[in-house]
Amino acid sequence: MDLHEALAEIERLRQENETLKTENETQKRLLFDLNEKLNEALKAKEAARERSRIERIKTFVPKTETLDAVVINETEQVLKEKRIRKAKAPHYASFDFERHVTEVVYEKPEERFCPVCGDALVVASEKVRYVVEAIPATLKVTKIIKQSLKCPRCNVQDNRLYYPLSKAVFPGSILTPSFAAYVADHKYELGIPFEHLSRHLRETLGIEISKQDLGTYMARTATLLRPLVERMKDDLRHTSAKVIYADETTLSVSKRPEADQERKKSYVYVFTTSYYDAQIVLYDFHETRAIDPVARWLKDYEGVIVCDDFAGYGKLKKENPKISLQRCFAHVRRRFTDIVKALPEGKKQEGNAFKILGVIGKLFHSEALYREKKLLPSEILKRRNEDHPKILKELEGLIFGCEYKPNSAIEQAVAYTKKVWPELTTYLSSGYVEISNNIAERAVKPFVINRKVFTTSGSYDGARYSALLFSLIRTARINDLNVTRYLEHVLDRIGQTPQDALLPYSPDIVKRFRNAG
């Protein structure tokens, strides 16, 4: 191949690469549109769900309590409370399992014949347990008889018994995938406190399960599901758009270690994808606001984090130069909006706060136009670099070129803007990056709503498993899955089915469980 042929081949490959790049961007643009429409539809559905949710919650609230009282008084606990008992009663002593049995299952060892003499094995002993499945408005009880076998000839000499290997997801417990999904859905989707769910099970379904046991059930469920959530975290770290939206909210913990008694607040961090990728949202609890334990999983991340002004992300960027930060323009705008709102009606349009809002409004208006025209990310990037520098220059003049009264509201808003200014324009280097952090703020809202239900978490461990389960449940919800059916499916197959086939955003799962009810 001579030089001219080589150059021609290089040009052909370049054009082919550009074509593939455009096709890929087009696919991502379509995915963005689908995810945006899905989120809009979910917002409308959530409004209807909220009315239904309140009606469902009322069935769990005693007539002597108001709904507000429930919202305030729950304390979630995993650790057993110390209680004085006159006599140790067996678990669920008041519930007649035998009367509710609808199915009997025998568990037998795989061996059927004695490997020594060849005689058929006979039953040596039986151990009975019951498992409970949740069916709307009722429970299905299955009686499990675990048989051990022995050889009638050889057992006299070797005393050997053959036991079945348990295939239960929750061995030795009444818990089943369907019952675990039932509890998780009521706790983390409906926001029913464990105490009230326990009362509902006792009064409506006749089975006594304490709030401590319900907490333990969810801890065991979270432990089973942890590998799947870790896989979600890995997928979030490697999104094709290379954008993560992050936010955080507070959470009080009532039972803290002795060394942490002075700590008033802990934090739940939220990380989510853009609309250009599969929809994932992760909730991560940490005792403190220190960024090191929070973002250890982001140490090797290469991409943009869209966030507020939390200094921890700056430390993360300093430690990992491959990370870029886009600070939220909506946070900036909000500070000046509050100033204008506080002014008398006739003076709202006076002063620089109103002017600054107008300039920021131009940025958001142009972004809305790019979306309306369904521009590809590369086209958005091109238009931004044509349209925005002049607008940003005007804003910069109002922020840095004017004097403001010390300690005034506008001076504080301007100081905030100056602090984040170097990282307000990262979006000019990627068409996949939004100028606001609204996606993460929407993701944190469901946790804030459910936090009203428990106000505090009973322990650090309880907060961790709550965040883990919330991650899986909310990701299922934003992909419009039937949460209960999806959780039951996953718990029934976890550890036996490849993780790819169980993720709440995998095509097969979405096809099977979306809009299922």
Side-chain angles (χ1 to χ4, degrees), residues 77 134 229:
Q77 297 184 17
V229 176

Side-chain angles (χ1 to χ4, degrees), residues 392-435:
L392 290 167
K393 191 71 176 176
E394 184 182 0
L395 180 61
E396 186 177 19
L398 289 167
I399 298 298
F400 291 91
C402 298
E403 294 290 331
Y404 296 98
K405 183 180 179 181
N407 298 320
S408 64
I410 190 168
E411 192 272 339
Q412 293 173 12
V414 166
Y416 173 87
T417 309
K418 287 179 178 179
K419 182 176 71 169
V420 299
W421 185 265
E423 292 161 345
L424 276 174
T425 56
T426 303
Y427 74 97
L428 293 176
S429 62
S430 172
Y432 292 107
V433 178
E434 304 287 329
I435 67 172

Side-chain angles (χ1 to χ4, degrees), residues 355-488:
K355 292 178 183 178
I356 290 170
L357 276 181
V359 176
I360 295 175
K362 293 177 185 178
L363 295 175
F364 279 94
H365 177 68
S366 62
E367 289 291 305
L369 289 178
Y370 304 155
R371 302 302 178 203
E372 286 178 17
K373 293 178 179 178
K374 299 188 182 300
L375 299 184
L376 299 177
S378 60
E379 294 170 332
I380 290 174
L381 183 60
K382 182 174 182 294
R383 287 290 302 274
R384 280 174 173 172
N385 283 282
E386 292 171 353
D387 301 338
H388 286 201
K390 184 179 178 181
I391 302 173
L392 290 167
K393 191 71 176 176
E394 184 182 0
L395 180 61
E396 186 177 19
L398 289 167
I399 298 298
F400 291 91
C402 298
E403 294 290 331
Y404 296 98
K405 183 180 179 181
N407 298 320
S408 64
I410 190 168
E411 192 272 339
Q412 293 173 12
V414 166
Y416 173 87
T417 309
K418 287 179 178 179
K419 182 176 71 169
V420 299
W421 185 265
E423 292 161 345
L424 276 174
T425 56
T426 303
Y427 74 97
L428 293 176
S429 62
S430 172
Y432 292 107
V433 178
E434 304 287 329
I435 67 172
S436 78
N437 199 25
N438 289 342
I439 291 176
E441 289 189 1
R442 282 197 293 270
V444 83
K445 186 177 179 181
F447 188 88
V448 172
I449 291 172
N450 266 21
R451 183 183 59 194
K452 293 178 183 178
V453 175
F454 41 79
T455 304
T456 65
S457 183
S459 67
Y460 287 160
D461 285 342
R464 287 191 186 93
Y465 82 67
S466 293
L468 188 148
L469 290 170
F470 213 73
S471 297
L472 193 64
I473 288 171
R474 288 308 305 177
T475 300
R477 174 58 62 192
I478 64 175
N479 283 280
D480 200 22
L481 305 187
N482 179 303
V483 173
T484 307
R485 289 187 59 222
Y486 165 69
L487 283 178
E488 183 177 352

Side-chain angles (χ1 to χ4, degrees), residues 85-131:
R85 293 182 177 178
K86 294 181 180 179
K88 189 174 181 180
H91 271 337
Y92 325 114
S94 63
F95 186 70
D96 186 354
F97 283 98
E98 195 63 34
R99 186 171 66 85
H100 289 81
V101 168
T102 57
E103 183 181 0
V104 178
V105 174
Y106 287 86
E107 292 182 347
K108 298 182 179 182
E110 294 182 358
E111 297 88 347
R112 291 291 184 268
F113 298 94
C114 177
V116 179
C117 68
D119 279 8
L121 301 178
V122 298
V123 175
S125 65
E126 290 183 342
K127 184 178 180 180
V128 175
R129 71 184 178 95
Y130 301 89
V131 296

Side-chain angles (χ1 to χ4, degrees), residues 4-119:
H4 291 294
E5 289 174 332
L7 290 173
E9 180 63 14
I10 290 172
E11 178 60 21
R12 186 189 68 78
L13 291 173
R14 188 191 67 78
Q15 292 179 0
E16 185 178 291
N17 184 58
E18 285 298 317
T19 301
L20 290 173
K21 183 179 177 181
T22 301
E23 289 176 353
N24 184 48
E25 278 197 291
T26 302
Q27 290 176 346
K28 286 192 170 299
R29 175 69 244 186
L30 290 171
L31 182 59
F32 181 96
D33 290 342
L34 288 171
N35 283 328
E36 189 173 46
K37 288 177 182 176
L38 174 60
N39 275 268
E40 289 301 317
L42 285 175
K43 277 197 286 186
K45 184 183 286 187
E46 287 291 333
R49 277 188 72 253
E50 187 63 19
R51 291 190 292 271
S52 173
R53 176 175 174 268
I54 291 172
E55 291 304 314
R56 290 181 66 187
I57 289 174
K58 286 179 180 177
T59 65
F60 294 85
V61 181
K63 293 180 179 179
T64 54
E65 293 186 35
T66 66
L67 195 58
D68 288 339
V70 177
V71 168
I72 292 171
N73 294 334
E74 167 72 348
T75 299
E76 184 178 311
Q77 297 184 17
V78 179
L79 302 175
K80 297 285 185 180
E81 292 181 351
K82 292 182 179 179
R83 290 177 291 181
I84 299 174
R85 293 182 177 178
K86 294 181 180 179
K88 189 174 181 180
H91 271 337
Y92 325 114
S94 63
F95 186 70
D96 186 354
F97 283 98
E98 195 63 34
R99 186 171 66 85
H100 289 81
V101 168
T102 57
E103 183 181 0
V104 178
V105 174
Y106 287 86
E107 292 182 347
K108 298 182 179 182
E110 294 182 358
E111 297 88 347
R112 291 291 184 268
F113 298 94
C114 177
V116 179
C117 68
D119 279 8

Side-chain angles (χ1 to χ4, degrees), residues 248-265:
E248 62 279 333
T249 187
T250 58
L251 180 66
S252 298
V253 176
S254 59
K255 290 185 178 294
R256 298 182 296 278
E258 192 66 34
D260 279 0
Q261 288 304 305
E262 298 302 315
R263 178 168 291 124
K264 300 297 183 184
K265 293 178 181 178

Side-chain angles (χ1 to χ4, degrees), residues 279-322:
Q279 296 293 277
I280 304 171
V281 58
L282 292 172
Y283 299 81
D284 207 358
F285 169 82
H286 288 276
E287 295 93 325
T288 73
R289 213 180 183 193
I291 195 66
D292 291 338
V294 172
R296 193 172 290 124
W297 65 284
L298 288 169
K299 293 294 185 183
D300 62 344
Y301 174 63
E302 183 176 350
V304 178
I305 297 177
V306 183
C307 54
D308 57 20
D309 67 319
F310 174 40
Y313 295 114
K315 184 175 186 291
L316 186 65
K317 176 187 174 183
K318 187 176 180 180
E319 294 174 352
N320 179 3
K322 293 180 179 179

